[in-house]
Amino acid sequence: MMTSRVPAAVDALLAILRAAPGLADVMVIDGPPRTNLSGTERLYIGHQPDGGPAVSLAQDFASAGARTRDEAFAIHCYAETWSGDTDMQVHRLRVFELVGEVETALRATNDAPTAPTLNSSVLWAHVTAGDLTQDQGEGARAGVVFTVTCQARI
């Protein structure tokens, strides 16, 4: 018996984002960063740069009789863009474009009618929160920690 829809939802989110035309040149990474990453635009699914949880979840009985359960969960994600230059505005705008592409990929269309349900793994999913981070070190970096919130029935 399935005790959570989290694994199926994370896998579906990764598949949807990796197939999204607007993210074709962006590295979509499952979980925390690996070493020796190339590319200046990255999207991490199930990772927060401060080391927080990959997914937060809660369950409760869906009704009397305890035959089904409702599950609400948040998949924590992080988008970042960086380069050796110091133009923060360019990176700030671009990182919000990346999050916008995630929002677009999670909307139902004729070509992707099950996108908001993460390929039928949840009842619905959508981007619900985010925090912008910026830093100047060896160049400009802008990031958005954001949440894909899901509701499921198990």
Side-chain angles (χ1 to χ4, degrees), residues 3-25:
T3 60
S4 176
R5 298 303 299 158
V6 168
V10 171
D11 290 346
L13 180 59
L14 283 161
I16 288 167
L17 297 179
R18 287 176 174 158
L23 297 171
D25 295 326

Side-chain angles (χ1 to χ4, degrees), residues 45-58:
I45 307 305
H47 170 70
Q48 297 181 72
D50 66 359
V55 178
S56 302
L57 65 113

Side-chain angles (χ1 to χ4, degrees), residues 78-131:
Y78 178 62
E80 75 174 356
T81 178
W82 64 274
S83 69
D85 66 33
T86 58
D87 191 344
M88 188 58 71
Q89 180 186 24
V90 168
H91 296 288
R92 183 173 46 251
L93 291 172
R94 180 60 182 148
V95 78
F96 274 97
E97 288 175 0
L98 296 180
V99 175
E101 290 295 337
V102 173
E103 289 179 308
T104 298
L106 293 180
R107 291 189 182 133
T109 65
N110 289 338
D111 293 334
T114 64
T117 64
L118 299 180
N119 295 335
S120 302
S121 64
V122 298
L123 298 172
W124 68 82
H126 57 136
V127 175
T128 57
D131 292 307

